[in-house]
Amino acid sequence: MARIAAESLIERLVEWGVDTVFGIPGDGINGIMEALRRHRDRVRFVLVHHEEAAAFMATGHAKATGRLGVCLATSGPGGIHLLNGLYDAKLDHMPVLAITGTQETSVLGTAYQQEVRLDRLFDDVAEYNMMVTNPVQLPALVDIAVRTAYARRGVAHLTMPNDLQVAEADADPWKQVGPVRPPATSARYLSPPGVPRREDLERAAEVLNTAERPAILVGAGALHAREEVLAVAGLLAAPVVKTLPGKAVVPDDSPYTTGGIGLLGTRPSEDLMDDADVLFMVGTNFPYTKYLPEPGRARVVQLEADPTRAGTRIPTDVPVVGDAKEGLRALLPLLNRRTDTEHLSKYQDKMAKWRADMDALESAGRDPVAPQYVVSVLDDLAADDAIMTCDSGTIATWAARHWTVRDGRGFYLSGNLATMAPGLPYAIAMQHAFPGRQVIAYVGDGGFAMLMAEFLTAARHGLPIKVVINNNNALGQILWEQMVLGYPEHGVRFPEPEPDFSAWARTCGGFGAKVATAGEVAPAIRQALAHDGPALVDVSVNPNEPPMPGRVTYEQATKFAQAFLKGQPHKAAIATTLFKDRIQRLGD
């Protein structure tokens, strides 16, 4: 058989270390599918049920491994479906390559069936975006696409007409005009130096060494720098606040951390942001500026890998450009050890009280089942190196506050896009990348329903993911957002009956359990974790459990009260839950 051009694409990806492609076949990529078949001993094609899930899987793969994630979709609607997952990669700065097909070159521009200019459609989401127009371009275009995805921490897109996919790999049908020759490139990426400039480090150290009430804010860009973050915190006697994507930077039981920040964060972290005289931001471009110190209230040092993001959120006295791990290593010798630990001790005491409050909400004696209790059971029973993936919604609040990162545990969710539905696809991609680790998708009923067919993907590929559904039969986060705005709830609670997703799990050949009482939670989760294959536990939880901010503002409380006065239909149940929560905190 003649070597086709699509093989040149796949072979080049192999040279880049790609061993997995997530996607769905279609007539617009038949040539690429044939190339994957011919090279199936080197690249595994993971057949999914929706292209959006394929893009989420590629993004999840990149988040968990640091390596390029690759997804594949056919022309027209297939490529369109990739977009949400690709924007997740773009906004969280993950290297992902999207490959799509398009119509034969002879019909392009003639309004042919499913003809969508995907290169134009992807113009905003992609850092590199190119249509292949000649087979001999392929090695160079693949190299540039992959190199750009790594260098710019984002999405690259290649789309290839159907006829070129099956053309001979070395075909060069057009006469070259002038001194033109396709570039001979190499499948190699050299990351830029991560050590910041010496003068910037010295300026940063000068500010940090004068801090009386320091605070460190870390994000996903510091996930690989745990030891260095803790070393800096130890020298400065500084509490460490974590963004949600950066939850695994330092363990949740560390004596240095005050936990999360923002709507899903802790009260000690909010107090610290108001109190700090110096804020050191490491590996984060945290967007919710209302939770950061007011401009001028604290001096700010930011260690950021991307020069365009340094100093974009808050007036920054010393922006430092460099890798979090290498930058902190270079900074450490310049820092003075702070002997006064009163500031740190103050926040350790605050955090001890916060943890006690959270523990009180994990009671097994509450009816309906408290979502906090479900996560606490997962936290107790999961392995010390378990990976949790999470969707957006109230579940992110419960996971942020009740899933404890310790030892080698991981935690991943859609950060800046905050989209629904990535939890399940993430889990599949991460289980594929780490077959020996326990991978748990903690998701809501709303998000799970969007891409629930991918549980069948896990079963068909023999991936033993564990899914725990926080089923409140509602779009819970939107309900509370409406109330905080002072609006009565509308369009957020699904009509009865409440779905039983465990039946779907069993239909797929996996383990499935439906749980309605607190006493059933631990046995069901224990069975699921022990099951040799994909497993799902669908837990009916209290739909009126409020994901309250760490510190409720007067405005939030006022709007919340106004929503009640406007005829909140479930106000009695909500008020009862709030009262029970308060009593639980005071009584335990």
Side-chain angles (χ1 to χ4, degrees):
M1 289 185 294
R3 181 168 167 267
I4 60 176
E7 287 184 82
S8 185
L9 166 68
I10 300 304
E11 289 164 0
R12 202 60 163 192
L13 290 177
V14 170
E15 290 187 53
W16 276 101
V18 173
D19 58 13
T20 306
V21 174
F22 303 96
I24 299 180
D27 59 5
I29 51 171
N30 279 334
I32 297 174
M33 292 303 302
E34 171 61 12
L36 284 167
R37 186 193 68 81
R38 294 183 185 184
H39 295 278
R40 59 189 179 275
D41 59 329
R42 295 195 285 174
V43 181
R44 182 182 182 185
F45 177 70
V46 177
L47 175 62
V48 305
H49 287 86
H50 197 287
E51 290 92 352
E52 181 182 8
F56 279 139
M57 290 177 195
T59 302
H61 175 89
K63 286 185 176 184
T65 67
R67 303 194 306 271
L68 184 78
V70 181
C71 54
L72 174 65
T74 190
S75 55
I80 293 169
H81 284 161
L82 292 175
L83 279 173
N84 194 46
L86 295 180
Y87 270 103
D88 186 35
K90 173 185 173 73
L91 269 63
D92 281 353
H93 313 293
M94 290 296 119
V96 167
L97 173 64
I99 302 169
T100 62
T102 194
Q103 283 67 26
E104 285 83 351
T105 54
S106 61
V107 297
L108 286 176
T110 67
Y112 199 75
Q113 185 185 35
Q114 293 189 335
E115 183 181 356
V116 175
R117 288 296 303 269
L118 293 177
D119 53 332
R120 294 181 183 177
L121 182 68
F122 282 33
D123 193 52
D124 179 63
V125 75
E127 298 288 342
Y128 183 80
N129 184 21
M130 185 61 62
M131 178 186 287
V132 180
T133 57
N134 190 321
V136 297
Q137 288 177 289
L138 272 167
L141 293 191
V142 172
D143 289 348
I144 296 169
V146 175
R147 201 174 292 122
T148 303
Y150 277 126
R152 298 183 184 171
R153 304 293 297 174
V155 176
H157 171 234
L158 293 176
T159 189
M160 191 172 182
N162 218 344
D163 52 338
L164 295 188
Q165 296 172 29
V166 296
E168 290 190 11
D170 299 324
D172 187 5
W174 314 115
K175 181 180 179 181
Q176 305 298 327
V177 179
V180 175
R181 184 177 64 188
T185 58
S186 60
R188 185 183 178 196
Y189 170 68
L190 183 64
S191 59
V195 180
R197 293 181 299 194
R198 176 73 182 188
E199 56 266 35
D200 293 338
L201 290 170
E202 290 175 348
R203 290 174 59 222
E206 181 181 356
V207 173
L208 295 171
N209 285 331
T210 61
E212 296 182 1
R213 300 181 307 281
I216 302 173
L217 175 62
V218 296
L223 283 170
H224 63 308
R226 175 182 290 185
E227 292 182 7
E228 290 75 14
V229 168
L230 290 174
V232 170
L235 281 176
L236 299 177
V240 178
V241 182
K242 305 185 291 182
T243 68
L244 193 53
K247 180 175 171 63
V249 173
V250 300
D252 283 311
D253 54 4
S254 166
Y256 290 104
T257 189
T258 58
I261 187 175
L263 188 64
L264 284 59
T266 70
R267 180 171 187 132
S269 290
E270 290 202 44
D271 291 346
L272 179 61
M273 288 295 113
D274 289 343
D275 184 28
D277 66 342
V278 171
L279 175 64
F280 187 18
M281 300 172 66
V282 181
T284 179
N285 193 36
F286 185 69
Y288 303 104
T289 54
K290 64 178 286 187
Y291 294 101
L292 297 176
E294 292 182 9
R297 195 170 195 173
R299 301 182 73 187
V300 177
V301 176
Q302 184 179 9
L303 175 54
E304 166 60 54
D306 186 342
T308 65
R309 296 198 298 266
T312 60
R313 299 301 185 193
I314 187 173
T316 304
D317 297 81
V318 186
V320 181
V321 177
D323 173 74
K325 188 179 187 72
E326 294 184 57
L328 293 179
R329 279 184 176 177
L331 178 66
L332 278 165
L334 305 178
L335 297 178
N336 300 329
R337 180 170 294 279
R338 182 178 172 84
T339 57
D340 181 0
T341 60
E342 181 180 352
H343 172 67
L344 176 61
S345 297
K346 172 183 174 181
Y347 284 93
Q348 288 173 336
D349 292 342
K350 284 176 176 281
M351 198 57 193
K353 183 179 184 306
W354 173 266
R355 289 188 178 112
D357 286 346
M358 294 300 100
D359 289 346
L361 296 176
E362 297 172 356
S363 171
R366 299 170 65 191
D367 182 33
V369 179
Q372 299 95 324
Y373 174 64
V374 178
V375 185
S376 74
V377 171
L378 272 173
D379 190 49
D380 289 342
L381 297 179
D384 286 341
D385 67 344
I387 296 171
M388 174 179 278
T389 66
C390 188
D391 270 1
S392 299
T394 57
I395 44 172
T397 300
W398 315 135
R401 294 175 177 173
H402 302 275
W403 170 255
T404 306
V405 170
R406 58 176 180 267
D407 298 325
R409 279 188 176 177
F411 179 78
Y412 299 94
L413 83 172
S414 175
N416 285 303
L417 187 61
T419 180
M420 293 175 68
L424 177 60
Y426 276 10
I428 290 171
M430 294 176 193
Q431 189 72 84
H432 174 74
F434 303 106
R437 292 179 68 176
Q438 194 178 72
V439 181
I440 302 165
Y442 174 61
V443 298
D445 55 297
F448 180 77
M450 289 180 173
L451 292 174
M452 60 187 287
E454 302 310 331
F455 189 86
L456 184 55
T457 299
R460 285 173 166 166
H461 288 278
L463 298 170
I465 63 167
K466 314 304 174 188
V467 180
V468 177
I469 300 177
N470 183 85
N471 193 339
N472 55 17
N473 203 34
L475 301 174
Q477 188 69 32
I478 308 304
L479 185 155
W480 296 104
E481 287 174 350
Q482 287 180 359
M483 293 184 67
V484 167
L485 289 170
Y487 305 150
E489 66 176 69
H490 179 70
V492 291
R493 296 190 191 252
F494 293 110
E496 297 293 339
E498 177 186 303
D500 179 359
F501 294 110
S502 69
W504 168 243
R506 292 190 295 273
T507 300
C508 295
F511 171 87
K514 179 65 177 176
V515 171
T517 66
E520 300 171 295
V521 173
I525 291 178
R526 191 175 285 111
Q527 281 184 276
L529 294 177
H531 181 71
D532 185 20
L536 182 150
V537 179
D538 181 0
V539 186
S540 298
V541 299
N542 185 357
N544 299 308
E545 184 72 29
M548 300 298 286
R551 188 172 65 193
V552 180
T553 66
Y554 175 79
E555 181 182 8
Q556 288 170 330
T558 300
K559 294 290 181 64
F560 191 86
Q562 288 173 351
F564 268 65
L565 294 174
K566 287 181 180 178
Q568 163 57 245
H570 298 89
K571 60 185 177 184
I574 292 169
T576 299
T577 298
L578 288 168
F579 178 74
K580 286 182 178 179
D581 281 359
R582 182 64 177 165
I583 293 298
Q584 200 77 41
R585 293 189 192 189
L586 294 174
D588 287 14

